[in-house]
Amino acid sequence: METKEFGLHDIVEMKKQHPCGTNAWKIIRMGADIRIKCQGCGHSVMIPRRDFGKKMKKILEKARQE
């Protein structure tokens, strides 16, 4: 199975759409749990890393490396 490479401040697409109608989420915290923030309404959700890997569909935009 492929491993998905994601990092802090990447914008990802999840398998299920948020009730506000947006499917784009920004990763704002990484650790044992990952916190993502909806790009539409600003709601944030904390998901265990294992579940996040299963629920993430693809990376829409990589964060800029500075």
Side-chain angles (χ1 to χ4, degrees):
M1 183 157 62
E2 86 180 58
T3 57
K4 299 173 184 171
E5 297 294 323
F6 52 85
L8 193 60
H9 302 297
D10 287 352
I11 296 177
V12 299
E13 181 179 345
M14 303 301 279
K15 290 183 180 175
K16 289 191 176 180
Q17 185 171 321
H18 192 247
C20 75
T22 300
N23 205 8
W25 296 80
K26 183 175 186 177
I27 300 172
I28 58 174
R29 180 183 180 275
M30 290 182 66
D33 294 326
I34 295 177
R35 183 177 293 274
I36 55 176
K37 183 176 183 180
C38 178
Q39 294 297 99
C41 65
H43 181 78
S44 67
V45 179
M46 201 152 199
I47 304 174
R49 185 180 282 266
R50 175 182 284 168
D51 294 344
F52 179 79
K54 293 176 186 176
K55 293 179 180 181
M56 186 181 88
K57 196 172 190 180
K58 64 182 176 180
I59 297 173
L60 298 175
E61 183 180 325
K62 290 292 279 181
R64 292 187 303 170
Q65 300 296 324
E66 295 181 16

